Amino acid sequence: MAETRSESRSGGGRGKGAEARRTAHLVESLCAWFEREARDLPWRRRRSGYRALVAETMLQQTQVSRVVERYVEFLRRFPTVRRLAAASEQEVLAAWQGLGYYRRARNLLQAARRIVRDHGGRVPRDAAELRRLPGVGRYTAAAIASIVYGRAEPLVDGNVRRVLARLEARDGGSGSSGGPAASWAWDRAAALVAAAPRPGVLNEAVMELGALVCTPAAPRCPRCPVAAHCRALRQGRQEEIPAPRPPPRRRCEHHHAVVVVRGEKVLLERRGSEGMWSSMWQVPTVEAERPLAGREIVRALAAAVASLEPRGSFEHRTTHRWITFHVFVAAGRLRRGRWCDPAQLAAAPMSNAQRRVLARARGGPDTGA
Ligand code: SF4
């Protein structure tokens, strides 16, 4: 019996040793690959806590290609955390145009003000401190702490979760951000980070691999630096893991956007301070659960409008909504809003959907942005 226990202990020790060597190899291969293949992205050229906070906030729900354009412009306008903290909400929303999910811009502004007020203008280095800032969650805090300040903080986003699940042939689906699959991924990411001499490089390497090689569909396994360690590849299941998430349930809405024109001026009004697109500018818009008839729209606007000229419709999807925008042009009187000339119109913070409304009303190209 004693011999058996002893064998079992040494067998377990060998297993642990092999797993530790595999983890060390993974870390080494990923970091070496990242150093060779990393994309030249503007937030990688010059690192600082503030720059990382801006980039990570933008990247939360926007594609890298779009963030690349807007990040440089945003930093030109607000080059330091103090400059951002001193800006008005309307200025920041205007600079955020085209990125969507404007709550992020408000949170970023609040975070900048908090950093100036409570941290002497220096972005905290500690992940727990970072998480106290508005809009900074577990992922963003870990990204800043590890990538900029070299702290051994694991991070998990969609790319990381997919790469780790495939490397370990771990079933269980993508899961929700708080489910068991996510919790497993955080534990696995922590094990990799613990073995990494440079945690930030490792974190970026796993994300980059997910973005460039271990893509959701058709992963490029022959080009993968860790193919030799990949259990999903060995089992031929790399395209089945992780199981797809069910599509989000979206509420259907109909927004009737009325472009009222006087000469070269257009009437805009500001949305309320709560809910979607809060505090942004828009043409007078009536929201309903079904398409409305012309007279219902006029009644809802409480306007003396002679006629509504339809200019077609388009679909706009958000995470939780499926909105059909019905576009109209009208001449008439409304006792609300503000008449904006072309320069004011260009500078007003407006959602992409409202920009599409204006383009349709003018008969110009509707880019669908
Ligand atoms: Fe992803 Fe293929 Fe690399 Fe495995 S071998 S990590 S499935 S790209």
Side-chain angles (χ1 to χ4, degrees), residues 26 30 162-168 209-210 212-215 218-234 237-239 241:
L26 272 174
L30 283 164
R162 182 175 60 257
V163 171
L164 297 182
R166 286 175 176 168
L167 281 172
E168 305 309 321
L209 191 78
L212 300 182
V213 179
C214 195
T215 45
R220 302 175 175 97
C221 304
R223 285 184 45 198
C224 179
V226 285
H229 301 288
C230 181
R231 290 174 171 154
L233 179 65
R234 202 175 308 146
R237 297 199 300 137
Q238 64 273 25
E239 301 215 30
I241 296 175

Side-chain angles (χ1 to χ4, degrees), residues 42-61:
W43 48 91
R44 288 179 179 162
R45 288 177 206 149
R46 206 173 125 205
R47 309 271 196 190
S48 77
Y50 171 60
R51 286 166 171 260
L53 179 62
V54 172
E56 291 299 340
T57 305
M58 287 183 171
L59 287 164
Q60 278 166 12
Q61 273 145 318

Side-chain angles (χ1 to χ4, degrees), residues 32 44 47 59 78 96 181 183 246 248 255 330 349 357:
R44 288 179 179 162
R47 309 271 196 190
L59 287 164
F78 307 111
W96 201 263
S183 156
H255 290 196
V357 165

Side-chain angles (χ1 to χ4, degrees), residues 16-51:
K16 277 186 187 160
E19 202 46 44
R21 281 195 297 282
R22 176 173 174 268
T23 297
H25 263 127
L26 272 174
V27 167
E28 203 181 310
S29 309
L30 283 164
C31 292
W33 171 82
F34 182 71
E35 309 256 89
R36 280 195 318 273
E37 304 284 340
R39 286 169 293 177
D40 175 27
L41 298 173
W43 48 91
R44 288 179 179 162
R45 288 177 206 149
R46 206 173 125 205
R47 309 271 196 190
S48 77
Y50 171 60
R51 286 166 171 260

